Amino acid sequence: MATKLDPWGAVSIDDYSKLFEEFGISSFEEILPQIDDPHPYMKRHIIFGHRDYQKVASAMKEKKPFAVMSGFMPSGRVHLGGKMVMEEIIWHQKHGGDAFVAIADMEAHSVRGISWAKCREMGIEEYILSIIALGLEPSATIYFQSKSGAVRDLAFELAAAARFSELAAIYGFSGETNVAHMISVIVQSADILHPQLPENGGPKPVVIPVGSDQDAHIRLTRDLASRMRKFLVEEREGRVSLRGKAAGPDIIEAAAARLKEMGYKKVKRYEEHIDVFDAKAKDAGKVEEMMRVFEVEEGGYGFVPPASLYHRFMTGLTGGKMSSSRPESHIALTEDPEEAAKKVMRAVTGGRQSLAEQKKLGGEPERCTVYELMLFHLSEDESELQEIFEECKSGERMCGTCKKEAAERIRAFLIKHQREREIARERLPEYGL
Ligand code: TRP
Ligand code: SF4
């Protein structure tokens, strides 16, 4: 009996393990068992890491409010990489989350010099029609950054908590960087935090599905979120301590009174902090939630630091990175289905030099862009993938037939998707567009 082959070998997370160590991204694997009906990207380890997703998973399980949000810069054609983010948004919406989708026109305008009219057109034609066609329901909020007063106002507030030196360190900004570009990164933080504004139901866990290259934005936004808090709740040997950050003396006083109303008796107030001696360390979470509510009543934000999910990137069909600037490397969602099928037939595989060698040694699905297409987009069935993987490894499967099958599936997918995009076009008003 041959050793059991791992059909997810192609998505080994070894390359990503340094992300875990260096940046403090957690492995998704530990959370997976708690998720009912996981998305195939979760089961297949394509989603490999997260920050703070535990909060989202718990909210989902307990049917408490949570949200999912991500954004797209309207700078070119949306390809299968963008589809991954779309699917993750839709999955969370189906599992009870409020969904928010930003079209990052301020970013595209300031960073890429794309006109507002072109941003509008690309936002709708490339991104919005596709995400609706893929199944986003009208309860979602789809918006253009430049048209959202709430996001722009929040960005201004957040800007007061962000320093130039840190943006320079994160994004490489210099004295030559245009100021609108700097503003656009703060607007992105506002995108991420605005699902927690009172008009959107207040503080709650929010997950941002992104590629791992976007982690710097997430870290910045998590920092900004906690800088906006008025209180920091900490557990300290047997007691719970609240530090009033920007809170004035009146608010500290009111907070101490609130804690007493909650039933705590040993509440000691200092100039800038409060100690609750009869709250056990395990109560810290409860006290924190209380203070969050209090903070919002006092006109603060009470932001929960946003969570994130990180997925692996697909390899480009020509090998190397998949890039929107190289048409041969990707398949666009609006691409001519016949053309897409041809690209698959030309794609780099994990096949051997000759048929004989392939039969003898077997192929290498773990380095095959065609197998990756199946894994990321073209197969819903775990046992089918297992079979393809094993047949390839054992030399029973030949690249020619395999490519033909993938090409046919991508053709069929695009025909259907593009038909659904036309239906979505008729439905834009349901989404307020
Ligand atoms: N900066 C992202 C990009 O380049 C787009 C974006 C804007 C975004 N706002 C966001 C992504 C909020 C995630 C969350 O594609
Ligand atoms: Fe890739 Fe299929 Fe060839 Fe295996 S047989 S290397 S999966 S194209």
Side-chain angles (χ1 to χ4, degrees):
M1 178 71 194
T3 41
K4 179 113 175 109
L5 294 167
D6 174 9
W8 324 135
V11 293
S12 132
I13 55 172
D14 286 355
D15 320 345
Y16 292 90
S17 59
K18 79 173 193 300
L19 288 172
F20 298 155
E21 287 150 31
E22 279 177 31
F23 299 109
I25 290 177
S26 310
S27 157
F28 189 75
E29 208 149 336
E30 293 146 26
I31 283 197
L32 184 61
Q34 302 168 35
I35 297 180
D36 302 327
D37 180 29
H39 188 278
Y41 290 163
M42 296 174 174
K43 288 189 272 195
R44 297 174 188 181
H45 303 305
I46 289 170
I47 291 175
F48 66 90
H50 72 98
R51 282 187 192 274
D52 242 359
Y53 191 73
Q54 186 59 56
K55 285 186 194 146
V56 177
S58 306
M60 216 176 329
K61 245 205 155 73
E62 294 159 19
K63 310 235 176 290
K64 291 198 176 136
F66 72 98
V68 55
M69 117 50 59
S70 201
F72 301 93
M73 178 156 69
S75 61
R77 294 178 81 185
V78 58
H79 56 64
L80 292 174
K83 172 177 173 276
M84 294 174 67
V85 174
M86 294 180 179
E87 278 193 28
E88 290 173 53
I89 296 173
I90 293 164
W91 183 89
H92 284 91
Q93 184 186 45
K94 291 213 168 23
H95 288 77
D98 291 337
F100 294 82
V101 177
I103 302 299
D105 59 345
M106 291 173 79
E107 186 178 353
H109 188 73
S110 63
V111 180
R112 301 280 168 87
I114 299 172
S115 76
W116 296 113
K118 190 79 195 155
C119 283
R120 176 95 202 161
E121 183 202 315
M122 269 195 293
I124 291 184
E125 284 299 320
E126 290 294 326
Y127 297 87
I128 297 176
L129 291 181
S130 276
I131 196 169
I132 296 175
L134 290 171
L136 189 75
E137 300 288 342
S139 60
T141 304
I142 306 179
Y143 67 97
F144 286 78
Q145 287 174 329
S146 68
K147 295 279 189 294
S148 171
V151 167
R152 296 178 71 157
D153 288 351
L154 177 57
F156 191 78
E157 296 287 329
L158 296 175
R163 291 178 298 275
F164 173 69
S165 58
E166 69 187 329
L167 299 190
I170 298 172
Y171 300 103
F173 291 165
S174 73
E176 301 306 307
T177 307
N178 80 66
V179 177
H181 185 174
M182 299 183 198
I183 294 175
S184 80
V185 307
I186 300 294
V187 170
Q188 166 155 334
S189 290
D191 285 332
I192 292 173
L193 293 174
H194 93 290
Q196 301 191 60
L197 291 177
E199 68 227 59
N200 292 321
K204 63 173 104 30
V206 182
V207 58
I208 320 297
V210 283
S212 48
D213 62 327
Q214 304 278 314
D215 184 50
H217 300 311
I218 302 292
R219 270 181 294 152
L220 171 69
T221 308
R222 287 169 59 84
D223 279 351
L224 294 177
S226 57
R227 280 182 217 162
M228 302 304 281
R229 293 298 310 274
K230 288 189 195 296
F231 292 101
L232 188 68
V233 177
E234 294 165 320
E235 1 177 323
R236 292 229 179 105
E237 306 123 28
R239 65 190 146 100
V240 172
S241 178
L242 274 92
R243 201 145 53 77
K245 298 204 307 171
D250 294 355
I251 297 202
I252 301 256
E253 185 61 49
R258 173 64 62 94
L259 286 158
K260 286 181 190 152
E261 280 165 33
M262 274 173 78
Y264 292 112
K265 296 204 169 63
K266 295 187 190 151
V267 178
K268 188 153 180 347
R269 209 212 120 174
Y270 304 84
E271 194 166 336
E272 284 185 343
H273 80 277
I274 301 171
D275 275 339
V276 190
F277 289 96
D278 52 347
K280 298 254 168 0
K282 68 169 171 43
D283 279 2
K286 211 171 93 193
V287 173
E288 163 129 35
E289 284 322 305
M290 269 289 314
M291 293 325 290
R292 200 188 296 288
V293 172
F294 175 74
E295 183 173 320
V296 173
E297 283 168 19
E298 293 292 324
Y301 293 108
F303 290 135
V304 178
S308 52
L309 279 182
Y310 301 105
H311 55 247
R312 270 183 39 113
F313 291 107
M314 290 181 70
T315 316
L317 295 176
T318 44
K321 260 187 91 173
M322 178 172 284
S323 147
S324 30
S325 54
R326 274 183 297 121
E328 271 303 300
S329 76
H330 70 252
I331 290 169
L333 294 178
T334 48
E335 183 144 350
D336 170 23
E338 306 304 328
E339 194 45 51
K342 284 187 198 145
K343 281 187 188 174
V344 173
M345 294 307 290
R346 291 193 291 264
V348 173
T349 71
R352 305 285 176 178
Q353 296 295 350
S354 67
L355 276 183
E357 213 180 310
Q358 176 107 347
K359 284 194 179 133
K360 190 163 137 234
L361 301 171
E364 297 181 287
E366 55 278 82
R367 334 155 101 222
C368 174
T369 65
V370 176
Y371 182 74
E372 234 184 44
L373 271 178
M374 291 285 201
L375 185 63
F376 280 63
H377 300 284
L378 301 176
S379 172
E380 310 237 310
D381 180 352
E382 309 305 307
S383 58
E384 177 191 67
L385 280 166
Q386 179 93 36
E387 205 177 294
I388 296 174
F389 190 91
E390 284 174 8
E391 282 178 12
C392 173
K393 276 284 197 199
S394 67
E396 284 163 64
R397 201 172 171 88
M398 294 298 129
C399 296
T401 29
C402 196
K403 284 203 245 185
K404 256 189 223 142
E405 205 175 308
E408 181 44 38
R409 288 191 194 190
I410 196 83
R411 203 177 70 89
F413 163 73
L414 288 176
I415 290 173
K416 176 164 167 279
H417 179 62
Q418 291 168 13
R419 203 184 304 128
E420 283 163 352
R421 281 171 47 92
E422 291 317 308
I423 299 168
R425 195 186 295 284
E426 303 300 314
R427 292 180 59 210
L428 284 173
E430 289 176 47
Y431 297 78
L433 291 158

